[in-house]
Amino acid sequence: MKEKRSIFTNNEIPLKDFEKAGLNVGNIPGGILTSLMQGEISQIVEIRPELKSGRKEALPVKLRLTRDKENKVKLMAYPIHRDIVNNLKLNEQEQQRLREGDTIRKEIRNGQYSRQMFIQLDKETHSLMMRDERTINLDKRMDELEHVRDITLGQNQRQAIREGKPVELEIGDTKVTVGVELSQNSGFKAIEGDLQEWKRKQQIAWDIATPGAMGYWQTEENRWEYKQTLEKYKYKDDRKDSQQEERKSERKIKP
């Protein structure tokens, strides 16, 4: 298996963003920081941001490093919600498709501009993951797949992948499923196995094979434990003092 490499350097780590979230980079569990440096979404981690009231409160989120328009690295947080926070104004059919694990390709307007975006649901947090389709460059990914696997994708298969649908291929005696996967830095994934295996891998990634959300929680300043999310934190959108923090499913932690 090809070893994943970091896409960010240590010098690019936005230390102020981590401090704002109440995190000491040096104390974060090893695997979490490695995932972040590879551009992937982390497991659930407890952060302790300072609220407007001045007090700090534990908040379970998934984290991700990304680049802004100026190419600066920023820390993103995906809070846990009871259900989809529909700030994209998706209709009920679209929301149901996301709950079932589908990918939506939809034109999203941001100010004066519109972009074709891929949208997926992180089932553990109910946060929406979005990606401009141009940044994934699916045609290039498919060309690379053909070169490495020595296969030829048909036009119908290519079009299905462009629409965000996973496609099952047969390479000799081996089945391979490929498609858009926004939890990956590349936005694209190929796995050994059929569509059922694709769905099984998604379940593992979302950690829904076991009841309750699991994550790393701070028990002391320099000590972390991996345990089930407490209910009072799991659905914070029921609490008045966290309504403002929970409005967006994906938000930037400002320095």
Side-chain angles (χ1 to χ4, degrees), residues 7 29 36 49 69 71 78 91 161 170 186 195 210 212 226:
I7 63 171
L36 292 175
K69 294 180 180 178
N71 206 38
Y78 299 82
N91 60 41
I161 292 172
E170 289 192 10
S186 65
L195 289 171
T210 55
Y226 186 70

mmCIF file of all heavy atoms in Angstrom, residues 7 29 36 49 69 71 78 91 161 170 186 195 210 212 226:
data_model
loop_
_atom_site.group_PDB
_atom_site.id
_atom_site.type_symbol
_atom_site.label_atom_id
_atom_site.label_comp_id
_atom_site.label_asym_id
_atom_site.label_seq_id
_atom_site.Cartn_x
_atom_site.Cartn_y
_atom_site.Cartn_z
ATOM 1 N N ILE A 7 0.706 16.931 3.173
ATOM 2 C CA ILE A 7 0.592 17.978 2.163
ATOM 3 C C ILE A 7 0.803 19.359 2.777
ATOM 4 O O ILE A 7 0.808 20.360 2.072
ATOM 5 C CB ILE A 7 -0.765 17.920 1.446
ATOM 6 C CG1 ILE A 7 -1.908 18.171 2.433
ATOM 7 C CG2 ILE A 7 -0.956 16.589 0.740
ATOM 8 C CD1 ILE A 7 -3.248 18.333 1.760
ATOM 9 N N PRO A 29 -3.152 13.717 20.281
ATOM 10 C CA PRO A 29 -2.796 12.318 19.991
ATOM 11 C C PRO A 29 -2.183 12.163 18.609
ATOM 12 O O PRO A 29 -2.646 12.773 17.633
ATOM 13 C CB PRO A 29 -4.141 11.597 20.100
ATOM 14 C CG PRO A 29 -4.924 12.425 21.065
ATOM 15 C CD PRO A 29 -4.527 13.841 20.798
ATOM 16 N N LEU A 36 -4.423 15.158 9.965
ATOM 17 C CA LEU A 36 -4.582 16.563 9.602
ATOM 18 C C LEU A 36 -3.520 16.998 8.603
ATOM 19 O O LEU A 36 -3.809 17.686 7.623
ATOM 20 C CB LEU A 36 -4.513 17.446 10.851
ATOM 21 C CG LEU A 36 -5.664 17.314 11.849
ATOM 22 C CD1 LEU A 36 -5.402 18.155 13.087
ATOM 23 C CD2 LEU A 36 -6.984 17.732 11.206
ATOM 24 N N PRO A 49 -12.964 25.916 23.009
ATOM 25 C CA PRO A 49 -12.885 27.319 22.588
ATOM 26 C C PRO A 49 -13.430 28.249 23.660
ATOM 27 O O PRO A 49 -14.265 27.862 24.483
ATOM 28 C CB PRO A 49 -13.763 27.344 21.342
ATOM 29 C CG PRO A 49 -14.759 26.253 21.568
ATOM 30 C CD PRO A 49 -14.018 25.174 22.304
ATOM 31 N N LYS A 69 -8.208 31.295 0.104
ATOM 32 C CA LYS A 69 -7.951 31.852 -1.220
ATOM 33 C C LYS A 69 -6.542 32.412 -1.349
ATOM 34 O O LYS A 69 -5.997 32.497 -2.453
ATOM 35 C CB LYS A 69 -8.977 32.949 -1.521
ATOM 36 C CG LYS A 69 -10.404 32.438 -1.645
ATOM 37 C CD LYS A 69 -11.368 33.564 -1.939
ATOM 38 C CE LYS A 69 -12.797 33.046 -2.056
ATOM 39 N NZ LYS A 69 -13.762 34.154 -2.301
ATOM 40 N N ASN A 71 -4.014 30.960 -0.057
ATOM 41 C CA ASN A 71 -3.150 29.785 0.100
ATOM 42 C C ASN A 71 -2.620 29.626 1.523
ATOM 43 O O ASN A 71 -1.691 28.856 1.766
ATOM 44 C CB ASN A 71 -1.970 29.819 -0.880
ATOM 45 C CG ASN A 71 -1.459 28.419 -1.205
ATOM 46 O OD1 ASN A 71 -2.239 27.469 -1.333
ATOM 47 N ND2 ASN A 71 -0.154 28.276 -1.329
ATOM 48 N N TYR A 78 -15.831 20.801 12.367
ATOM 49 C CA TYR A 78 -17.147 20.264 12.020
ATOM 50 C C TYR A 78 -17.827 19.813 13.313
ATOM 51 O O TYR A 78 -17.573 18.722 13.811
ATOM 52 C CB TYR A 78 -17.009 19.062 11.073
ATOM 53 C CG TYR A 78 -16.349 19.360 9.749
ATOM 54 C CD1 TYR A 78 -14.963 19.413 9.654
ATOM 55 C CD2 TYR A 78 -17.099 19.558 8.597
ATOM 56 C CE1 TYR A 78 -14.339 19.666 8.439
ATOM 57 C CE2 TYR A 78 -16.488 19.805 7.371
ATOM 58 C CZ TYR A 78 -15.108 19.858 7.306
ATOM 59 O OH TYR A 78 -14.490 20.103 6.104
ATOM 60 N N ASN A 91 -33.300 20.562 -0.519
ATOM 61 C CA ASN A 91 -34.672 20.094 -0.343
ATOM 62 C C ASN A 91 -34.667 18.760 0.399
ATOM 63 O O ASN A 91 -33.615 18.153 0.617
ATOM 64 C CB ASN A 91 -35.413 19.997 -1.690
ATOM 65 C CG ASN A 91 -34.750 19.028 -2.661
ATOM 66 O OD1 ASN A 91 -34.303 17.939 -2.272
ATOM 67 N ND2 ASN A 91 -34.697 19.420 -3.932
ATOM 68 N N ILE A 161 -19.146 8.955 -12.645
ATOM 69 C CA ILE A 161 -18.176 9.434 -11.651
ATOM 70 C C ILE A 161 -18.230 10.952 -11.557
ATOM 71 O O ILE A 161 -18.177 11.524 -10.465
ATOM 72 C CB ILE A 161 -16.759 8.944 -12.008
ATOM 73 C CG1 ILE A 161 -16.678 7.424 -11.849
ATOM 74 C CG2 ILE A 161 -15.714 9.616 -11.113
ATOM 75 C CD1 ILE A 161 -15.392 6.823 -12.347
ATOM 76 N N GLU A 170 -14.369 -4.137 -13.016
ATOM 77 C CA GLU A 170 -13.754 -5.458 -12.924
ATOM 78 C C GLU A 170 -12.409 -5.418 -13.627
ATOM 79 O O GLU A 170 -12.322 -5.116 -14.819
ATOM 80 C CB GLU A 170 -14.661 -6.522 -13.550
ATOM 81 C CG GLU A 170 -15.907 -6.801 -12.732
ATOM 82 C CD GLU A 170 -16.638 -8.046 -13.206
ATOM 83 O OE1 GLU A 170 -16.072 -8.777 -14.047
ATOM 84 O OE2 GLU A 170 -17.766 -8.278 -12.727
ATOM 85 N N SER A 186 -7.646 14.152 -1.700
ATOM 86 C CA SER A 186 -7.769 14.215 -3.152
ATOM 87 C C SER A 186 -9.217 14.413 -3.603
ATOM 88 O O SER A 186 -9.470 14.859 -4.719
ATOM 89 C CB SER A 186 -7.216 12.937 -3.783
ATOM 90 O OG SER A 186 -8.001 11.823 -3.403
ATOM 91 N N LEU A 195 -19.538 -2.525 -4.652
ATOM 92 C CA LEU A 195 -20.252 -1.406 -4.038
ATOM 93 C C LEU A 195 -20.595 -1.669 -2.582
ATOM 94 O O LEU A 195 -20.644 -0.744 -1.772
ATOM 95 C CB LEU A 195 -21.531 -1.116 -4.841
ATOM 96 C CG LEU A 195 -21.307 -0.480 -6.222
ATOM 97 C CD1 LEU A 195 -22.616 -0.437 -7.003
ATOM 98 C CD2 LEU A 195 -20.724 0.918 -6.084
ATOM 99 N N THR A 210 -20.460 0.909 15.585
ATOM 100 C CA THR A 210 -20.636 0.788 17.026
ATOM 101 C C THR A 210 -21.532 1.920 17.501
ATOM 102 O O THR A 210 -21.524 3.005 16.931
ATOM 103 C CB THR A 210 -19.284 0.872 17.766
ATOM 104 O OG1 THR A 210 -18.619 2.087 17.384
ATOM 105 C CG2 THR A 210 -18.400 -0.299 17.398
ATOM 106 N N GLY A 212 -23.019 5.124 19.294
ATOM 107 C CA GLY A 212 -22.464 6.313 19.926
ATOM 108 C C GLY A 212 -21.225 6.801 19.221
ATOM 109 O O GLY A 212 -20.487 6.049 18.612
ATOM 110 N N TYR A 226 -9.608 7.934 24.739
ATOM 111 C CA TYR A 226 -10.513 7.641 23.639
ATOM 112 C C TYR A 226 -11.773 7.032 24.241
ATOM 113 O O TYR A 226 -11.734 5.954 24.830
ATOM 114 C CB TYR A 226 -9.859 6.655 22.668
ATOM 115 C CG TYR A 226 -10.663 6.402 21.416
ATOM 116 C CD1 TYR A 226 -10.809 7.393 20.451
ATOM 117 C CD2 TYR A 226 -11.282 5.181 21.200
ATOM 118 C CE1 TYR A 226 -11.528 7.168 19.295
ATOM 119 C CE2 TYR A 226 -12.013 4.940 20.047
ATOM 120 C CZ TYR A 226 -12.134 5.933 19.108
ATOM 121 O OH TYR A 226 -12.869 5.709 17.958
#
